[in-house]
Amino acid sequence: MDKHKAQLNWYYQQEKKRKEAREKNDTTLINQRMQELLGNAWHKLSDEEKEDFKPVVKCIERKLVQSPLFGMRYRDNFENLDVAILQVILLSMIAPNRKQEIARWKGEISRVDFHSNVRFVQLERELSRI
């Protein structure tokens, strides 16, 4: 019986590792795509508009590991779901006319972590105070 229990325990641990690896991979893909979209939207802004968003960008950059928001590096940043959420929120501020695309990315993030909607609300409040 103990051998069977140990095998089940091993199986559940392996399944948990696979799930975590899948979530990190999905988050990395979302973050990479958000980097492209944000970069394109940022380059379309005028210098005055960029100045208006600089405090928000600085707040987001404080949450990153040794990287600027545009040109993000380090696996820790790409595997961080909060970074993906913050990028979606910033994109919604910079390009409010892209509502369908933003909603799709929110859905992608929710697919990775069901409870991310709560985190969206928390981070939106945090950024709106700036």
Side-chain angles (χ1 to χ4, degrees):
M1 185 69 172
D2 285 335
K3 185 176 180 181
H4 180 68
K5 189 175 182 181
Q7 287 175 333
L8 275 176
N9 194 18
W10 176 85
Y11 174 78
Y12 287 127
Q13 287 175 347
Q14 293 302 311
E15 192 62 31
K16 183 179 176 183
K17 286 179 187 177
R18 280 192 288 275
K19 180 182 179 205
E20 288 172 356
R22 196 171 38 251
E23 287 174 356
K24 286 180 180 182
N25 185 51
D26 291 346
T27 303
T28 297
L29 294 173
I30 291 169
N31 270 319
Q32 288 171 342
R33 186 64 181 128
M34 290 309 303
Q35 281 284 287
E36 292 174 26
L37 295 172
L38 259 181
N40 291 338
W42 187 258
H43 290 298
K44 291 178 183 178
L45 294 177
S46 68
D47 290 338
E48 295 84 28
E49 290 172 317
K50 287 180 183 178
E51 284 300 317
D52 292 342
F53 288 111
K54 281 224 172 156
V56 177
V57 171
K58 291 276 186 216
C59 180
I60 293 172
E61 286 178 339
R62 278 187 237 124
K63 296 183 183 303
L64 298 177
V65 177
Q66 300 178 347
S67 285
L69 178 60
F70 302 102
M72 221 171 39
R73 292 174 184 75
Y74 296 104
R75 186 175 66 198
D76 291 347
N77 291 327
F78 282 104
E79 291 178 349
N80 188 336
L81 198 61
D82 278 358
V83 173
I85 293 170
L86 287 165
Q87 289 186 94
V88 170
I89 293 169
L90 181 59
L91 183 64
S92 70
M93 295 170 145
I94 290 174
N97 56 335
R98 299 170 91 171
K99 288 180 182 169
Q100 285 183 329
E101 192 172 17
I102 291 164
R104 184 174 76 82
W105 286 108
K106 282 184 174 183
E108 288 291 320
I109 291 171
S110 294
R111 189 180 56 76
V112 173
D113 181 7
F114 181 72
H115 302 290
S116 64
N117 290 330
V118 173
R119 198 68 185 127
F120 261 107
V121 172
Q122 291 171 339
L123 292 171
E124 279 180 324
R125 282 186 192 145
E126 187 178 319
L127 290 179
S128 68
R129 289 186 215 136
I130 298 172

